[in-house]
Amino acid sequence: MTIPADLKYTPSHEWVRVEADGTLTVGITHHAQDLLGDMVFIETPAAGRTLAKGEECAVVESVKAASDVYAPVAGEGIAANADVEASPESVNKDAYAAWMFKMKVANAGDVAELLDAAAYQKLVESEAH
Amino acid sequence: MLKQTPLNATHRELGAKMVDFGGWDMPVNYGSQIEEHHTVRSGCGLFDVSHMLPLDIRGANVRAFLRRLVANNVDKLQVSGKALYSCMLNEAGGVIDDLIIYFMDESWFRLVVNAGTAEKDLAWMEKMNAGWGMGLTLTPRRDLAMIAIQGPNATQALNEALPGVDQITATLKPFNAAAMGEMFIARTGYTGEDGFDVMVLAKSAPFFWKALMEAGGKPIGLGARDTLRLEAGMNLYGQDMDETTSPLESGLAWTVDLKTERDFVGRKALEASEVTKQLAGLILLDKGVLRSHQKIHTKNGNGEITSGTFSPTMQQSIALARIPLGIAPGEEVEVEIRDKKLKAKVVKYPFVRNGKVLI
């Protein structure tokens, strides 16, 4: 199960969990970590930072390459995961447990525009060709 | 259509992640690049390097030809099987390619050139062969596969996989090669560990690869090959030097023989040029990862990273960088990474050899 049905996704390979209080938890997908390979460095956004939709707000670096992580919607950072910064390899072990940051959403309607699991699955398959 | 080595199906059976590597369909890893890296430092790794091209040059004038063709001096090669690392320069003193030359006998030398430059190299060599009236025969050996067997257990694995080869491996010194029937066994590599580059007939390669795996060798992708060679402080053509850079500013002065009067292509340009830069080792002191093309600020001016990575052995980021002369090991420089300037220390490389950190 590499694309959990209960999560939302972005075309830039972030996963998004909508929490009960309406905040979002964000990470990168299993597919993204598979493309990047062994993670060696992760930098997450500071709490309180205002985020525009699509803004580069975290960096993941594997032995192979550096890659930006984008804010899935507009809002504000409220927490960053210090554990993934300390253990970047946790993203390779379980991409959906190793969240990068949590954020508040500026416009609740934006969340509905994120991809569901089926749409993301199609995107991954189309990129494979 | 990507080119395939004789081991393509073998890599796919092993579940390798295949990538377009300069037009070749090659394994970048078989799972974890970092685990593969450690395997080579502590055990035995197997690399398919059949994309590189062995090239036989035959004829009475072969030594005279190579004296003029390459920057290192083939007269250092007097014992059959001895190998020499050299650059092949253009008239401007830029590096057309770096290669290994094996002396077999006075009418036969074998070269191994990089995959991405093979056609260009061959065209250049044929042009010189004709222009100098050397009358040599150049034979690309695409009928051969090449497997690198690297790591402290490489000898044991090779001996077990290939009955009779222990007669050779027992006495073969580093940077020497020997023929064994149709096979060619060289004690060379690109990892900083003991090991061999073995050439076999293409049709025998899958069987030989499986025998090496049964003897304890683990398949290693080109991803780990890059981190291993960078830790070992070995240049990569196209990154650390190319046709626009001088070997004297690429950490390769030791391969350019200017002591003898020998006239070779690029010599005049090198002797007329002023050397203002050096290739230096860097260790990142702050958190992050050094990558090629990142800008370096030093007290003597700017420089640029040519190769950078995260070193699995040292657990920190390392790089080779072309920086101004006069910056000595121990000094600190700044690296531009995204919107930040991070601290890095200049060090004398190699970083790692034979499993040990040297910094």
Side-chain angles (χ1 to χ4, degrees):
Chain A
M1 187 59 189
T2 57
I3 304 180
D6 57 333
L7 300 177
K8 300 283 188 187
Y9 300 89
T10 70
S12 48
H13 305 289
E14 288 86 10
W15 60 261
V16 178
R17 188 168 62 232
V18 184
E19 307 293 351
D21 61 0
T23 63
L24 305 183
T25 302
V26 182
I28 66 166
T29 65
H30 176 82
H31 177 69
Q33 68 77 31
D34 189 50
L35 287 178
L36 285 163
D38 291 322
M39 294 295 171
V40 293
F41 175 75
I42 291 172
E43 194 174 65
T44 53
R49 176 170 156 188
T50 303
L51 301 171
K53 178 181 155 75
E55 184 180 344
E56 300 160 5
C57 63
V59 175
V60 291
E61 297 213 28
S62 68
V63 263
K64 207 158 58 177
S67 182
D68 290 309
V69 181
Y70 303 97
V73 297
E76 181 190 323
I78 50 175
N81 188 355
D83 291 345
V84 298
E85 288 197 351
S87 306
E89 68 280 5
S90 61
V91 177
N92 298 114
K93 286 187 190 121
D94 185 351
Y96 300 107
W99 59 278
M100 309 250 158
F101 60 94
K102 294 176 186 286
M103 65 181 294
K104 279 195 287 202
V105 181
N107 312 301
D110 290 351
V111 176
E113 290 173 21
L114 295 170
L115 305 175
D116 63 16
Y120 181 65
Q121 174 87 51
K122 267 188 205 148
L123 179 94
V124 169
E125 281 165 9
S126 72
E127 285 186 358
H129 297 297
Chain B
M1 182 65 189
L2 294 177
K3 286 179 266 194
Q4 297 187 351
T5 75
L7 289 163
N8 191 275
T10 304
H11 301 315
R12 291 181 176 280
E13 280 166 28
L14 290 166
K17 180 174 287 181
M18 305 296 285
V19 296
D20 177 351
F21 186 82
W24 289 83
D25 188 41
M26 298 298 285
V28 65
N29 63 57
Y30 302 79
S32 164
Q33 176 176 334
I34 289 180
E35 275 173 34
E36 290 172 18
H37 181 108
H38 293 315
T39 295
V40 175
R41 291 271 178 254
S42 62
C44 175
L46 309 176
F47 305 76
D48 178 13
V49 288
S50 307
H51 56 313
M52 297 180 77
L53 179 67
L55 177 64
D56 285 336
I57 308 185
R58 291 178 187 269
N61 294 323
V62 57
R63 185 183 286 275
F65 173 71
L66 291 170
R67 273 194 201 115
R68 283 177 76 173
L69 185 77
V70 300
N72 209 338
N73 190 351
V74 291
D75 287 337
K76 293 173 185 171
L77 303 177
Q78 295 298 335
V79 179
S80 180
K82 185 86 181 99
L84 183 74
Y85 173 74
S86 182
C87 290
M88 179 167 74
L89 306 179
N90 57 30
E91 291 291 353
V95 184
I96 296 174
D97 199 6
D98 65 335
L99 39 85
I100 292 182
I101 301 168
Y102 297 97
F103 165 56
M104 304 313 292
D105 61 49
E106 287 302 335
S107 61
W108 173 28
F109 282 64
R110 172 169 285 181
L111 277 56
V112 176
V113 304
N114 281 305
T117 50
E119 282 168 31
K120 171 184 86 166
D121 292 354
L122 199 55
W124 175 264
M125 289 181 206
E126 285 291 14
K127 190 178 153 195
M128 297 300 128
N129 180 30
W132 298 335
M134 291 286 180
L136 300 169
T137 308
L138 278 63
T139 311
R141 297 297 306 270
R142 281 289 172 217
D143 57 321
L144 297 178
M146 187 151 59
I147 297 172
I149 307 152
Q150 300 281 307
N153 299 341
T155 305
Q156 188 193 326
L158 178 57
N159 285 350
E160 204 177 311
L162 191 61
V165 79
D166 53 340
Q167 301 280 332
I168 290 172
T169 57
T171 53
L172 194 66
K173 293 195 185 77
F175 246 67
N176 279 269
M180 181 174 155
E182 297 275 8
M183 300 179 82
F184 184 87
I185 294 143
R187 198 159 213 150
T188 51
Y190 198 46
T191 62
E193 298 298 324
D194 185 25
F196 303 88
D197 289 311
V198 177
M199 297 175 210
V200 296
L201 288 174
K203 62 182 180 193
S204 311
F207 176 80
F208 181 47
W209 180 275
K210 286 191 177 102
L212 287 163
M213 284 188 66
E214 280 163 22
K218 300 275 193 303
I220 312 292
L222 295 180
R225 187 167 169 83
D226 191 53
T227 50
L228 287 158
R229 72 91 194 168
L230 187 47
E231 285 185 352
M234 294 173 175
N235 287 44
L236 174 60
Y237 187 80
Q239 272 187 222
D240 303 309
M241 72 292 197
D242 60 26
E243 291 193 12
T244 68
T245 55
S246 161
L248 305 180
E249 296 187 337
S250 306
L252 295 172
W254 63 278
T255 72
V256 179
D257 165 52
L258 297 170
K259 288 191 203 101
T260 55
E261 294 299 307
R262 184 179 55 98
D263 182 30
F264 61 84
V265 178
R267 176 167 190 155
K268 283 191 188 70
L270 287 187
E271 287 182 325
S273 71
E274 189 196 354
V275 175
T276 62
K277 295 179 185 124
Q278 60 177 328
L279 201 69
L282 294 182
I283 289 182
L284 186 65
L285 300 176
D286 292 322
K287 291 192 84 175
V289 184
L290 302 170
R291 306 280 184 191
S292 57
H293 304 303
Q294 285 168 351
K295 201 170 172 185
I296 308 291
H297 300 270
T298 81
K299 64 176 188 194
N300 291 352
N302 294 339
E304 190 181 271
I305 290 181
T306 54
S307 290
T309 194
F310 177 82
S311 158
T313 305
M314 299 169 68
Q315 290 289 306
Q316 63 189 136
S317 186
I318 60 170
L320 296 177
R322 188 170 284 110
I323 61 172
L325 286 181
I327 311 294
E331 290 188 45
E332 281 187 16
V333 298
E334 284 186 327
V335 189
E336 273 186 37
I337 302 183
R338 291 178 284 276
D339 52 346
K340 289 179 190 147
K341 283 187 183 168
L342 303 183
K343 280 199 182 68
K345 188 169 81 172
V346 176
V347 296
K348 194 167 180 293
Y349 62 90
F351 302 91
V352 180
R353 278 288 165 96
N354 298 115
K356 290 193 181 63
V357 176
L358 304 179
I359 304 296

